[in-house]
């Protein structure tokens, strides 16, 4: 019924990268996330699945404090990155987001050149001492985003002129260029066609070698293909979390089973 | 028959037609309304409409055409010799009209019999005195040619008016009768009425085109007239503006254009940074509460009429600047009215214009771009400076161009605040004048409408119209292209 | 930058999250600065608003107060009604010149009674203290009340604009050194009379209801007549712009096919909205006065000109209101067999009406404050001293308009007129405020979310 996992890159660790304890998120009066506890491992692809509005994207956005930009949003509980509370008053979200990068649902390249898109992060964080270094960073990021060969001859062309799949890989390259430790991806393939989707999925598996990747997806097939760990969210609760193979073949919670067999969703 | 009476008669015919049409439709259907194609009122409206519309159309055309025809006829009676040295046909014709009006008045007041007025001769009586007692002052002695022309003017006007009444009432009667004959139960009265209404709607919408045509025609004709008596090469080539109503004026546009552009530049230097930063703060930083107070407060500035800003420039800002930069201060300023005064106040006026346009444009930048930037760890100001503003740049340029067009066309502030002297100077504390201010001063003086000193206002208006129209079209094009990009 | 940093992960982070590094500190500082610029810009805008409003109020509020002198005037029979018949027709033969000495002598009596020491000698010497309009006012009263001749009647005589200015602090002994219209001795008298309550300020209804006055009688000038001029102009605009604007919008929004002609209309409307108002003045001058020979300075010409100017605004807001009515309403009406015209006029238009009215009121408010086009069609330079005799003459006989009257006052040489101009602005702004409030209330009350 499900595609077999890609498993091209064999890296396994059990080191925890992000740990969340009793996390609650409120939007005004709405309790959007309830009592979520999860350990996200380093060098692992973790998939968040669940029906629409279950809170998986909201939870993803709490991990790099993107919710800060929404006035009515409030987060309680403890989320630690490498043992440091990211909601501590002393933490500057700007610094946090450099370490926890994010890729969005719709490809959103800036209306600038391809080069400037990728160089943007390194520039604002001051990662390069000079132009040569910056060139090097950009090239590496584009290679890592598996798009270098397609764009190396037109780095000055606008990023918005690329195809949808290329744009999304450019956005991934852009996120990678700031040397994050964690990469959050919010339904990165939902706006892409199947060919572009498979390219991005392959890329995600390669990225696992260096980063902890968290991906929110609507597609259970995609979760099964790219992730090692899967978390199932339902109505703001984390229902079940475990190895992807276990969740898809032998779910513990009846709700998980209903969802993956297509009865709720 | 006066026009008012004519209108009332046609209206009465229309009402009668409405009643008759409605009654005829109902009786035609044997008092069974269901047998009618449309509601009974539509049959009434159909008759009223067909009685009224052709009649009124004819009336309007007549009102426009008759003066031309009568004028031409009277003009043809005037021999070349009737035009004195130094005068023009237009001036003589205005005399003719005045005499004709005077005769009308005299007849009305019983000073002259109707036939007496028609047969009057110059030698027979003192026309000037008669007209004077009727309340019409005629400047010079009336020559026989002018009197003859005036009498022809009167008689063709009278015939015209009589014909007009006959034609208009006739049209109303014929139209109403034809429509009444149409009125049978299976006649599609509603469709006919709706076609009529639709025509009215189209007419209303076309008024925009008519207005534009009206503007262009009134500018073009008078501008051509101006260039006929004043060389265009002087107008566009001379660097001096010194109109003198006695003749020998130098009417070069450059000092006025320079003043206009200089004041507009200062206005933009004030309004663009303030307006843009305010827009950025309102759309990116301000909470909903602050926004709901600060935005209307700024927009209050836009609701204040320009005469208020003019007065503010003349009576508050001017004296204030004078006390700092004037003789008692730095000595750069001679009087309160200056480029700086007008520019500053105009800048204040344009702040809300720039800020609300830029606010709209910044809000049109998709949230996904902001998310993308924040997700990379950019601060708000970095996001604004490096992502949002570059993305919004075309739109903002469009907004600034629109503001510039506003500044160039602004009148009251410069009339009251900029001074009256036309000069080419670099000192922003000098008094200068603008195209708009000179349009006002050339057309509100006592100058004769036919003199180059008055007609130059139309050439200035033309220049202003072309400049602002060009800026607007270009700016709207940029803004539209910008919006399409993010739709 | 080595490859090792890229592989990241295992090696410890360069610095923890809990300490803010130097670069971030710098970035945050620049963030704070930028934010401050924005706040400063808004502050500047609000500051200008406050300065403008306080300039208007502090300069204009004085126009609503006027100085009067309480004078018991002896209406001498020998001068005013020689025959003793008390026949107003006969008494009307006595012009204002017959009244002036009476008033001046009565004022002189008041001065003498006050016990003030003054080098001035008789009534002729104090005439500078009272308005030149006083005699006409007393005469009008006497002709209305002929029986009172021979009595002494208390009048509130309008003080001259210099005395008024002195009470309001605009005129001082230094400022009148070169002034032929008043002397320091007069001001000394005013001081004494003021203490006794004879000279006093009170609310100035004349300013709101009165007519404009000649250049030398600033104390008498009022805004009433030009308010009527504005009223007749606004009636013209409303009667023309609303139906035409609504008709045009209905056509463009509901019926117009997408073709070149429609495009052309739309381009024209959006361009007309941005044409400088002075150009509309030129159009009004050329089309209505030069071509159609309508009377100069008449409110109807102003109204027609402002109609053309306001139409684009009204069309734009009306179209927005029509657009806001959801298509489902049209479908519902068409579904029960209404024609498109009926669907529009019976269902869409009533639902859009609040929005249309809001837009119209805002358009009218704009037209009310517009000055530049009025200058060209002769609504300045005309001194509006007479009330229109009826509705017809209200539209057709020469008049001024509020903003034009303000402009006229601002240009006069006597600084007493500046106060009038500011005061006129207060009245104008109150009208605009009221209109905008009505628009806001309409919008709040009828706002519909589909």
């Amino acid at each position: 019924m499900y595609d077999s996992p890609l498993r091209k890159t064999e890296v396994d660790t059990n080191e925890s990268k992000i740990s969340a304890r009793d996390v609650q998120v409120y939007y005004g009066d709405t309790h959007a996330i309830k009592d979520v506890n999860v350990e996200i491992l380093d060098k692992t692809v973790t998939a968040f699945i669940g029906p629409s509005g279950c809170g998986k994207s909201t939870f993803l956005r709490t991990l790099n404090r993107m919710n800060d930009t929404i006035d009515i949003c409030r987060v309680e509980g403890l989320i630690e990155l490498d043992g440091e509370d990211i909601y501590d008053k002393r933490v500057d979200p700007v610094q946090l987001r450099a370490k926890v990068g994010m890729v969005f649902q719709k490809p959103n390249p800036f209306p600038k050149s391809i080069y400037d898109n990728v160089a943007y992060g390194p520039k604002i964080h001051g990662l390069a001492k000079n132009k040569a270094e910056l060139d090097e960073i950009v090239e590496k990021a584009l290679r890592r985003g598996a798009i270098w060969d397609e764009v190396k001859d037109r780095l000055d062309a606008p990023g918005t002129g690329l195809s949808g799949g290329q744009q999304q890989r450019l956005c991934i390259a852009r996120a990678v260029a700031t040397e994050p430790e964690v990469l959050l991806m919010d339904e990165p393939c939902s706006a892409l066609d199947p060919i572009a989707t498979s390219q991005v999925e392959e890329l995600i598996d390669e990225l696992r070698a260096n980063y902890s990747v968290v991906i929110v997806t609507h597609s259970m097939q995609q979760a099964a293909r790219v992730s090692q760990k899967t978390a199932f969210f339902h109505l703001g609760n984390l229902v079940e979390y475990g190895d992807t193979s276990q969740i898809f073949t032998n779910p513990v919670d009846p709700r998980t089973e209903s969802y993956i067999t297509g009865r709720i969703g | 028959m006066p026009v008012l009476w004519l209108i009332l008669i046609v209206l009465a015919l229309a009402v009668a037609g409405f009643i008759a049409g409605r009654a005829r439709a109902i009786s035609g259907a044997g008092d069974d309304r269901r047998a009618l194609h449309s509601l009974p009122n539509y049959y009434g409206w159909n008759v009223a409409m067909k009685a009224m519309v052709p009649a009124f159309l004819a009336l309007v055309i007549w009102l426009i055409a008759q003066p031309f025809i009568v004028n031409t006829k009277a003009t043809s009676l005037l021999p070349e010799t009737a035009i004195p040295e130094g005068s023009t046909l237009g001036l003589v014709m205005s005399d003719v009209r005045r005499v004709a009006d005077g005769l009308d008045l005299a007849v009305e007041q019983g000073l002259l019999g109707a036939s007496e007025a028609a047969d009057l001769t110059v030698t027979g009586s003192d026309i000037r005195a008669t007209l004077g007692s009727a309340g019409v002052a005629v400047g010079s002695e009336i020559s026989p040619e002018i009197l003859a022309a005036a009498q022809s003017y009167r008689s063709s006007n009278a015939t015209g008016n009589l014909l007009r009444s006959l034609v208009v009432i006739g049209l109303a009667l014929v139209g109403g009768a034809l429509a009444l004959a149409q009125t049978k139960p299976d006649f599609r009265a509603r469709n006919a009425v709706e076609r009529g209404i639709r025509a009215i709607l189209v007419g209303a919408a076309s008024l925009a085109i008519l207005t534009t045509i009206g503007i262009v025609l009134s500018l073009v004709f008078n501008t051509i007239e101006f260039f006929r008596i004043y060389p265009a090469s002087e107008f566009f080539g001379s660097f001096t503006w010194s109109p003198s109503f006695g003749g020998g004026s130098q009417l070069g546009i450059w000092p006025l254009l320079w003043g206009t552009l200089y004041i507009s530049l200062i206005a933009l230097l004030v309004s663009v940074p303030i307006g843009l930063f305010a827009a950025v703060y309102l759309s990116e930083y301000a909470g909903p509460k602050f926004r709901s107070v600060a935005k209307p407060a700024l927009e209050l500035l836009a609701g204040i009429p320009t005469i208020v800003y003019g007065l503010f420039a003349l009576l508050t800002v001017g004296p204030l600047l004078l006390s700092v930069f004037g003789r008692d201060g730095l000595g750069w300023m001679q009087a309160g009215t200056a480029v700086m005064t007008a520019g500053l106040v105009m800048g204040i006026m344009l702040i809300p214009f720039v800020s609300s346009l830029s606010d709209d444009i910044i809000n049109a930048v998709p949230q996904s771009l902001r998310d993308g930037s924040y997700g990379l760890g950019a601060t708000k100001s970095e996001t604004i400076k490096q992502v949002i503003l570059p993305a919004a740049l075309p739109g903002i340029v469009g907004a600034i161009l629109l503001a510039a067009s506003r500044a160039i066309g602004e009148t009251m502030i410069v009339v009251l605040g900029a001074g009256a002297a036309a000069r080419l100077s670099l000192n922003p504390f000098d008094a200068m004048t603008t195209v708009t201010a000179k349009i006002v001063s050339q057309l509100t003086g006592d100058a004769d409408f036919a003199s180059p000193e008055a007609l130059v206002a139309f050439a200035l208006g033309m220049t202003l119209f072309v400049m602002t129209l060009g800026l607007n079209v270009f700016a709207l094009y940029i803004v539209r292209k910008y919006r399409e990009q993010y739709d | 930058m080595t490859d090792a940093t890229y592989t990241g992960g295992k090696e410890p982070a360069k610095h923890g999250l809990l300490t803010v590094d130097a670069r971030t500190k710098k970035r945050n500082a620049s963030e704070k600065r930028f934010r401050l610029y924005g706040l400063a810009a808004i502050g500047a805008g609000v500051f200008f608003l406050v300065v403008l409003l306080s300039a208007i109020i502090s300069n204009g509020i004085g126009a609503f107060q006027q100085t009067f002198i309480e004078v018991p005037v002896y209406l001498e029979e020998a001068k005013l009604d020689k025959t003793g018949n008390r026949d107003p027709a006969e008494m009307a033969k006595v012009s204002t010149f017959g009244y002036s000495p009476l008033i001046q002598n009565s004022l002189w009596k008041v001065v003498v009674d006050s016990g003030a020491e003054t080098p001035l000698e008789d009534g002729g010497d104090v005439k500078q203290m009272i308005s030149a309009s006083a005699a006409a006012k007393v005469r009008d009263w006497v002709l209305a009340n002929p029986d009172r001749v021979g009595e002494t009647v208390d009048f509130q005589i309008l003080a001259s604009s210099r005395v008024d200015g002195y009470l309001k602090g605009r005129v001082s002994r230094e400022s009148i050194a070169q002034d032929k219209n008043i002397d320091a001795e007069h001001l000394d008298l005013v001081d004494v009379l003021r203490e006794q309550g004879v000279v006093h300020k009170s609310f100035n209804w004349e300013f709101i209801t009165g007519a404009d006055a000649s250049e030398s009688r600033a104390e008498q000038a009022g805004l009433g007549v030009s308010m009527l001029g504005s009223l007749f102009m606004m009636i013209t605009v409303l009667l023309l712009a609303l139906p035409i604007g609504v008709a045009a919008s209905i056509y463009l929004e509901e019926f117009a096919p997408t073709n070149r002609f429609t495009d052309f209309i739309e381009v024209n409307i959006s361009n007309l909205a941005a044409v400088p108002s002075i150009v509309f003045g030129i159009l009004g001058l050329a089309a209505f006065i030069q071509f159609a020979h309508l009377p100069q300075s008449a409110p109807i010409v102003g109204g027609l000109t402002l109609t053309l100017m306001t139409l684009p605004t009204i069309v734009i807001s009306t179209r927005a209101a029509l657009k806001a009515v959801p298509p489902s309403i049209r479908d519902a009406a068409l579904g029960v067999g209404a024609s498109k015209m009926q669907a529009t006029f019976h269902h869409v238009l009533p639902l859009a009406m609040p929005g249309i009215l809001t837009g119209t009121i805002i358009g009218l408010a704009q037209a009310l404050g517009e000055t530049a086009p009025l200058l060209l069609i002769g609504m300045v330079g005309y001194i509006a001293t007479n009330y229109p005799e009826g509705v017809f003459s209200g539209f057709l006989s020469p008049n001024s308009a509020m903003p034009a009257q303000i402009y006229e006052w601002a240009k006069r040489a006597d600084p007493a007129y500046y106060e009038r101009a500011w005061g006129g602005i207060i009245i104008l702004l109150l009208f605009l405020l009221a209109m905008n409030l009505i628009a806001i209330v309409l919008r709040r009350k009828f706002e519909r979310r589909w």
Side-chain angles (χ1 to χ4, degrees):
Chain A
M1 179 172 180
Y2 303 109
D3 305 75
S4 58
L6 293 161
R7 295 269 184 262
K8 280 191 204 137
T9 320
E10 291 298 338
V11 193
D12 279 305
T13 73
N14 285 313
E15 231 175 282
S16 169
K17 191 71 190 168
I18 297 178
S19 79
R21 264 168 242 133
D22 296 328
V23 174
Q24 323 281 341
V25 180
Y26 302 87
Y27 277 109
D29 296 331
T30 318
H31 197 169
I33 297 286
K34 299 159 193 160
D35 302 320
V36 169
N37 287 289
V38 70
E39 296 283 335
I40 289 164
L41 304 184
D42 199 9
K43 305 212 174 180
T44 304
V45 178
T46 308
F48 289 176
I49 60 169
S52 298
C54 66
K56 53 193 190 303
S57 285
T58 304
F59 184 66
L60 186 78
R61 291 167 78 94
T62 59
L63 298 182
N64 75 341
R65 294 184 59 174
M66 276 300 278
N67 283 333
D68 284 16
T69 55
I70 301 164
D71 292 325
I72 53 166
C73 182
R74 198 154 43 86
V75 179
E76 285 171 11
L78 184 68
I79 301 177
E80 284 179 339
L81 174 69
D82 290 331
E84 288 176 315
D85 177 9
I86 65 169
Y87 279 89
D88 190 285
K89 276 213 168 62
R90 286 167 292 175
V91 172
D92 193 316
V94 166
Q95 246 172 309
L96 169 69
R97 289 181 199 140
K99 287 190 174 190
V100 184
M102 189 155 189
V103 176
F104 299 85
Q105 190 170 355
K106 235 182 88 192
N108 56 352
F110 302 134
K112 298 167 179 265
S113 71
I114 293 170
Y115 181 93
D116 284 338
N117 260 284
V118 180
Y120 178 68
K123 267 187 196 158
I124 58 175
H125 293 292
L127 300 183
K129 283 199 219 62
N130 52 41
K131 176 82 169 91
E133 253 183 46
L134 191 62
D135 288 348
E136 202 182 319
I137 293 174
V138 169
E139 182 179 339
K140 253 177 208 153
L142 285 170
R143 279 185 194 285
R144 219 162 268 252
I147 193 179
W148 171 253
D149 290 334
E150 288 154 72
V151 300
K152 64 181 178 211
D153 299 326
R154 45 173 177 154
L155 290 175
D156 289 332
T160 44
L162 298 172
S163 74
Q166 287 173 323
Q167 285 191 7
Q168 193 61 301
R169 279 179 286 145
L170 173 65
C171 291
I172 293 173
R174 188 176 71 185
V176 166
T178 56
E179 300 174 48
E181 293 162 24
V182 180
L183 210 50
L184 307 177
M185 296 190 175
D186 190 355
E187 301 186 31
C189 299
S190 68
L192 304 184
D193 61 52
I195 294 173
T197 300
S198 72
Q199 286 170 330
V200 171
E201 283 179 6
E202 269 175 47
L203 171 59
I204 291 171
D205 194 64
E206 284 162 27
L207 291 171
R208 186 164 74 92
N210 299 311
Y211 313 101
S212 165
V213 179
V214 184
I215 173 170
V216 162
T217 175
H218 252 109
S219 152
M220 285 175 281
Q221 286 89 336
Q222 186 174 57
R225 281 195 299 266
V226 300
S227 70
Q228 290 79 51
K229 290 278 188 182
T230 296
F232 171 61
F233 284 81
H234 187 234
L235 301 175
N237 294 303
L238 176 57
V239 175
E240 192 166 348
Y241 176 56
D243 285 340
T244 302
S245 52
Q246 174 255 315
I247 295 262
F248 278 92
T249 52
N250 190 17
V252 177
D253 195 287
R255 284 173 291 175
T256 318
E257 196 184 353
S258 300
Y259 180 69
I260 57 177
T261 54
R263 264 179 283 150
I264 54 171
Chain B
M1 196 177 307
V3 178
L4 187 66
W5 276 103
L6 212 51
I7 293 173
L8 289 179
I9 289 173
V10 172
L11 282 180
L13 282 175
V15 171
F18 179 87
I19 296 167
R22 193 174 185 280
R24 187 179 154 93
I26 293 175
S27 71
D31 281 338
D32 181 7
R33 286 161 183 238
R34 283 171 298 176
L36 290 172
H37 168 270
S38 314
L39 293 171
N41 276 352
Y42 279 111
Y43 291 91
W45 279 119
N46 179 43
V47 177
M49 187 176 85
K50 283 175 183 165
M52 209 157 51
V53 174
F56 280 147
L57 268 182
L59 179 62
V60 168
I61 293 171
W62 204 289
L63 283 176
I64 295 173
Q66 183 174 320
F68 274 118
I69 296 166
V70 172
N71 241 349
T72 329
K73 217 173 143 198
T75 311
S76 67
L77 282 178
L78 285 174
E80 288 278 320
T81 50
I83 302 165
E85 195 81 14
S87 182
T88 62
L89 183 63
L91 286 176
V92 176
M93 273 313 290
S94 78
D95 269 352
V96 170
R97 271 194 298 272
R98 204 172 303 148
V99 172
D101 288 347
L103 289 175
D104 281 344
L105 269 174
V107 173
E108 213 172 279
Q109 293 170 4
L111 295 169
L112 279 174
S115 58
E116 217 181 317
D119 303 334
L120 222 56
T121 52
V122 186
T123 45
S125 56
D126 190 356
I127 303 169
R128 213 173 143 196
T130 320
L131 295 183
S133 55
V136 177
V138 181
S140 56
E141 217 33 76
I142 297 161
S143 69
E145 291 88 354
I146 288 184
L147 184 66
Q151 276 159 346
S152 143
Y153 186 90
R154 282 192 67 221
S155 72
S156 33
N157 243 344
T159 348
N161 288 352
L162 184 68
L163 269 177
R164 181 182 71 197
S165 306
L166 289 179
V167 167
V168 168
I169 295 174
L171 270 177
L173 284 171
V174 171
L178 284 180
L180 211 54
Q182 278 182 324
T183 308
K184 302 204 179 76
D186 59 348
F187 177 64
R188 302 182 167 210
R190 200 198 66 225
N191 305 38
V193 171
E194 288 187 352
R195 268 198 304 277
I197 295 180
R198 203 186 150 104
I200 293 173
L201 297 186
V202 176
S206 311
L207 191 68
I209 298 178
L210 267 182
T211 309
T212 311
I213 294 175
I215 290 176
V216 171
L217 287 186
S218 56
L219 289 172
V220 165
F221 276 130
N222 286 301
T223 305
I224 290 174
E225 187 69 29
F226 170 66
F227 285 142
R228 199 173 290 155
I229 48 181
Y230 190 87
S233 55
E234 278 281 296
F235 179 69
F236 289 114
S238 165
F239 288 93
T240 333
W241 172 272
S242 61
S244 73
F245 286 104
S249 304
Q250 272 199 293
L251 304 169
I253 193 176
W254 288 106
L256 309 187
L257 271 184
W258 170 242
T260 304
L261 295 178
Y262 203 173
I263 291 175
S264 304
L265 180 73
I266 291 178
L268 290 180
L269 285 180
V270 173
S271 60
V272 169
I274 296 183
L276 201 54
F277 268 110
V280 164
Y281 190 88
L282 284 175
S283 58
E284 300 294 320
Y285 286 104
K289 251 191 204 153
F290 183 83
R291 195 180 153 87
S292 71
V293 175
K295 203 172 152 65
L298 282 186
E299 275 164 11
L300 259 185
L301 281 173
I304 292 174
T306 52
I307 175 76
V308 181
Y309 285 105
L311 208 65
F312 185 57
L314 177 71
L315 299 180
T316 308
V317 176
L320 195 75
L321 287 178
L322 192 62
S323 70
V324 179
F325 299 103
R327 222 162 294 144
D328 305 331
L330 295 166
W332 297 341
M333 207 169 172
Q334 306 302 320
T337 50
V339 168
M340 195 49 126
T341 314
L344 261 181
V345 174
M346 203 188 284
I348 295 173
M349 182 192 80
L350 288 176
I351 290 172
F353 191 76
V354 175
S355 83
S356 63
L357 274 176
S358 316
D359 194 17
D360 288 350
I361 282 156
I362 289 171
N363 280 330
V365 174
Q367 182 62 29
S368 67
L369 288 186
R370 294 184 180 82
D371 282 348
S373 179
Y374 296 145
L376 289 171
T379 63
K380 260 195 171 172
S381 62
E382 285 160 352
T383 305
I384 292 163
K385 280 186 279 195
Q386 298 184 37
V387 177
I388 296 176
L389 288 184
L393 191 65
I396 290 173
V397 169
I400 293 174
L401 289 182
L402 284 179
S405 142
R406 265 291 172 90
I408 289 171
E410 172 49 43
T411 310
M412 294 321 293
I413 295 176
V414 292
V415 165
L416 287 170
R423 65 161 71 93
L424 284 160
S425 150
L426 278 174
N427 181 0
F429 295 100
D430 271 347
M432 284 184 216
T433 194
T434 68
V435 174
T436 50
K438 280 301 149 193
I439 292 177
V440 171
S441 69
Q442 297 313 106
L443 285 180
T444 50
D446 296 326
D448 173 10
F449 256 164
S451 70
E453 288 76 23
L455 283 173
V456 68
F458 293 97
L460 293 175
M462 190 82 202
T463 316
L464 179 69
F465 182 68
V466 169
M467 272 167 69
T468 51
L469 191 70
L471 270 178
N472 284 327
V473 170
F474 185 51
L476 288 177
Y477 170 79
I478 292 181
V479 172
R480 188 175 311 149
K481 275 269 160 270
Y482 165 75
R483 288 197 186 283
E484 277 166 7
Q485 183 191 338
Y486 291 120
D487 264 348
Chain C
M1 210 83 3
T2 63
D3 246 355
T5 45
Y6 271 94
T7 51
K10 277 240 171 83
E11 75 177 273
K14 280 177 285 179
H15 40 72
L17 278 174
L18 297 179
T19 50
V20 175
D21 60 42
R23 187 180 169 82
T24 310
K25 267 186 199 151
K26 233 166 91 187
R27 287 169 61 199
N28 282 342
S30 110
E31 166 77 17
K32 212 173 262 170
R33 260 198 319 275
F34 189 77
R35 204 187 156 106
L36 217 64
Y37 294 151
L39 211 53
I42 291 179
V46 173
F47 170 76
F48 289 136
L49 179 69
V50 170
V51 170
L52 181 58
L53 290 181
S54 51
I56 292 170
I57 292 172
S58 67
N59 288 313
I61 202 82
F64 294 91
Q65 293 263 313
Q66 198 65 39
T67 307
F68 292 92
I69 308 176
E70 199 178 331
V71 182
V73 179
Y74 173 53
L75 304 174
E76 200 180 334
E77 189 176 2
K79 294 263 171 63
L80 303 183
D81 189 14
K82 283 175 195 137
T83 54
N85 294 332
R86 301 288 187 268
D87 176 7
E90 264 176 53
M91 287 159 63
K93 284 183 189 143
V94 182
S95 72
T96 50
F97 290 112
Y99 286 82
S100 293
L102 295 187
I103 301 171
Q104 287 160 16
N105 292 336
S106 304
L107 177 61
W108 180 245
K109 191 161 171 287
V110 171
V111 170
V112 171
D113 290 350
S114 73
E117 281 180 35
T118 173
L120 301 175
E121 287 165 0
D122 58 23
D125 286 345
V126 292
K127 68 166 186 270
Q128 290 95 327
M129 290 168 62
I130 52 179
S131 165
S133 70
K137 231 178 140 193
V138 173
R139 180 171 177 266
D140 288 347
W141 188 89
V142 169
L143 292 182
N145 305 282
D147 302 337
R148 304 287 293 273
V149 171
E151 294 174 33
T152 301
V153 179
D154 277 354
F155 281 95
Q156 297 290 337
I157 301 283
L158 205 53
S160 70
S161 72
R162 295 298 192 284
V163 172
D164 184 51
Y166 179 61
L167 258 70
K168 287 172 181 166
R170 187 176 63 234
V171 170
S172 66
R173 284 180 175 72
E174 292 81 53
S175 75
I176 58 158
Q178 304 291 323
D179 196 335
K180 277 180 286 183
N181 292 317
I182 202 158
D183 295 318
E185 290 82 21
H186 295 117
L187 298 185
D188 296 337
L189 276 184
V190 169
D191 282 337
V192 173
L193 294 179
R194 190 182 180 184
E195 257 167 53
Q196 298 177 351
V198 176
V199 173
H200 59 93
K201 283 195 294 184
S202 62
F203 191 76
N204 187 11
W205 281 108
E206 279 287 294
F207 176 62
I208 299 170
T209 60
D212 192 15
S214 67
E215 181 109 34
S216 58
R217 296 187 189 174
E219 68 279 358
Q220 197 196 352
L223 202 60
V225 173
S226 52
M227 261 193 241
L228 284 177
S230 279
L231 175 74
F232 283 109
M233 265 172 25
M234 289 305 113
I235 291 175
T236 314
V237 175
L238 185 66
L239 290 184
L240 289 174
L242 182 59
I244 296 177
V246 170
S249 315
I250 287 179
Y251 177 72
L252 291 175
E253 206 53 49
E254 308 284 332
F255 294 101
T258 15
N259 59 19
R260 285 232 185 119
F261 181 68
T262 312
D263 277 352
F264 188 54
I265 295 179
E266 304 216 1
V267 168
N268 267 297
I269 290 176
S270 59
N271 282 332
L272 282 180
V275 166
S277 57
I278 184 90
V279 173
F280 282 96
I282 295 180
L283 172 67
L285 174 70
F288 300 129
I289 294 178
Q290 275 188 323
F291 183 74
H293 293 294
L294 288 172
Q296 258 205 339
S297 315
I300 189 140
V301 177
L304 286 171
T305 309
L306 292 179
T307 299
L308 295 182
M309 205 193 78
T310 325
L311 260 180
T313 319
I314 293 184
V315 169
I316 289 167
S317 62
T318 303
R319 291 186 66 181
L322 289 173
K323 223 177 248 163
V325 177
S328 61
I329 302 277
R330 294 172 183 86
D331 294 345
L334 295 177
V336 297
S339 69
K340 203 166 178 198
M341 197 67 77
Q342 286 169 324
T344 304
F345 280 91
H346 296 171
H347 298 281
V348 178
L349 194 57
L351 289 173
M353 217 55 206
I356 295 174
L357 289 182
T358 311
T360 307
I361 293 173
I362 288 172
L364 274 184
Q366 230 176 56
L368 182 64
E370 191 57 61
T371 322
L374 304 184
L375 303 185
L376 295 195
I377 55 169
M379 297 196 84
V380 288
Y382 175 77
I383 298 180
T385 44
N386 298 313
Y387 292 95
E389 284 147 21
V391 175
F392 203 65
S393 91
F395 283 112
L396 286 172
S397 54
N399 200 336
S400 189
M402 269 195 272
Q405 183 72 72
I406 292 167
Y407 171 73
E408 186 64 32
W409 284 341
K411 283 197 357 175
R412 289 189 185 164
D414 188 345
Y417 270 115
Y418 295 162
E419 182 190 83
R420 306 263 144 179
W422 288 112
I425 281 177
I426 293 181
I427 296 180
L428 180 64
L429 288 183
L430 284 178
F431 273 107
L432 295 183
L433 189 69
M435 290 169 88
N436 280 292
L437 282 181
I438 292 172
I440 290 170
V441 167
L442 261 181
R443 187 166 10 194
R444 288 265 161 84
K445 193 155 179 200
F446 295 103
E447 193 170 49
R448 224 181 279 250
R449 294 240 171 253
W450 300 97

